[in-house]
Amino acid sequence: DIQMTQSPSALSASVGDRVTITCRASQSISSWLAWYQQKPGKAPKLLIYEASTLESGVPSRFSGSGSGTEFTLTISSLQSDDFATYYCQQYNSYWTFGQGTKVEIK
Amino acid sequence: QVQLVESGGGVVQPGGSLRLSCAASGFTFRSFGVHWVRQAPGKGLEWVSFIRYDGSDKYYVDSVEGRFTISRDNSKNMVYLQMNSLRVEDTAVYYCAKQSGRYSDYWGQGTLVTVSS
């Protein structure tokens, strides 16, 4: 089974900050990685797929990079609507999610 | 617009059964696979099961293999998750998610399953 490890598990940031979240796969998954945003009581929302492709309608301040086993999600200038929990997901073999990164207001 | 609506959750005793339903609309249902993903209270996301667009292949996470059964009815735009021999650790919000490529572009709002005596 492919394991996904996200870091950090939580972070505090201010509006306007640049935020980076890292996701590491236990084996190579090529670019078969997605990022989701989840707010309390809501379903996850797709942000990025194939490691770096922005889903339609998602603000351009979100970007993804990486391939193989190391991936990052970057929010270039954090907005108030971005405070949420973020999950990476590999879909190279079935699905596995990272444990999540909670982005909180500093 | 694409909609996925889960139903069937509730409170059940350990060892009991529930059948979850996922009603889909707004897309050509018979052309897409569907996943079930769960989230225990305060925890992260866990993939549970997947069914191909035509029902020809079904996959399960090890922890539910032999207890849960996924199925679909393309004439009704429905996917089901039959859950038997439920355990306390199966307590979670269960989401159905439409496959796009190999990830998911749409999720339902979830249905809560509570396994408790």
Side-chain angles (χ1 to χ4, degrees):
Chain A
D1 293 0
I2 300 174
Q3 309 301 319
M4 305 300 292
T5 304
Q6 270 182 251
S7 61
S9 55
L11 64 90
S12 296
S14 301
V15 171
D17 285 352
R18 181 182 182 90
V19 169
T20 299
I21 299 168
T22 298
C23 184
R24 179 177 292 115
S26 60
Q27 64 188 74
S28 177
I29 57 170
S30 185
S31 295
W32 303 124
L33 184 106
W35 290 97
Y36 295 88
Q37 176 194 68
Q38 188 181 33
K39 296 183 178 180
K42 300 295 186 181
K45 173 189 173 185
L46 177 66
L47 299 175
I48 287 169
Y49 60 94
E50 288 182 23
S52 61
T53 302
L54 200 65
E55 171 70 349
S56 176
V58 174
S60 59
R61 63 181 179 272
F62 291 92
S63 64
S65 65
S67 65
T69 61
E70 298 280 338
F71 302 87
T72 60
L73 172 70
T74 300
I75 309 172
S76 60
S77 178
L78 197 67
Q79 302 301 301
S80 57
D81 190 48
D82 302 337
F83 292 97
T85 300
Y86 294 84
Y87 293 92
C88 63
Q89 176 211 41
Q90 70 81 19
Y91 50 94
N92 179 72
S93 175
Y94 303 115
W95 284 3
T96 314
F97 295 89
Q99 77 274 24
T101 296
K102 187 174 184 179
V103 177
E104 300 174 304
I105 301 173
K106 181 183 284 184
Chain B
Q1 73 279 22
V2 173
Q3 276 200 307
L4 298 162
V5 180
E6 303 92 339
S7 61
V11 181
V12 62
Q13 292 189 336
S17 298
L18 276 178
R19 188 177 84 152
L20 305 184
S21 299
C22 172
S25 61
F27 64 101
T28 307
F29 178 75
R30 63 181 181 274
S31 298
F32 294 89
V34 174
H35 295 260
W36 285 97
V37 176
R38 66 185 179 183
Q39 187 169 35
K43 302 299 184 182
L45 301 166
E46 180 185 35
W47 172 78
V48 175
S49 184
F50 169 70
I51 187 167
R52 288 201 188 279
Y53 66 97
D54 60 357
S56 60
D57 289 297
K58 306 171 185 181
Y59 304 92
Y60 303 91
V61 68
D62 287 348
S63 59
V64 309
E65 184 81 55
R67 299 189 298 123
F68 291 10
T69 302
I70 192 170
S71 61
R72 66 188 294 158
D73 185 338
N74 284 349
S75 68
K76 297 181 178 179
N77 286 10
M78 297 290 294
V79 173
Y80 306 99
L81 188 68
Q82 177 67 43
M83 304 187 298
N84 298 331
S85 303
L86 281 161
R87 304 168 180 168
V88 171
E89 56 265 34
D90 294 319
T91 295
V93 174
Y94 285 73
Y95 297 99
C96 62
K98 167 186 169 289
Q99 176 138 317
S100 174
R102 288 157 61 179
Y103 53 93
S104 174
D105 53 355
Y106 289 96
W107 297 54
Q109 287 306 298
T111 187
L112 176 62
V113 172
T114 302
V115 185
S116 173
S117 55

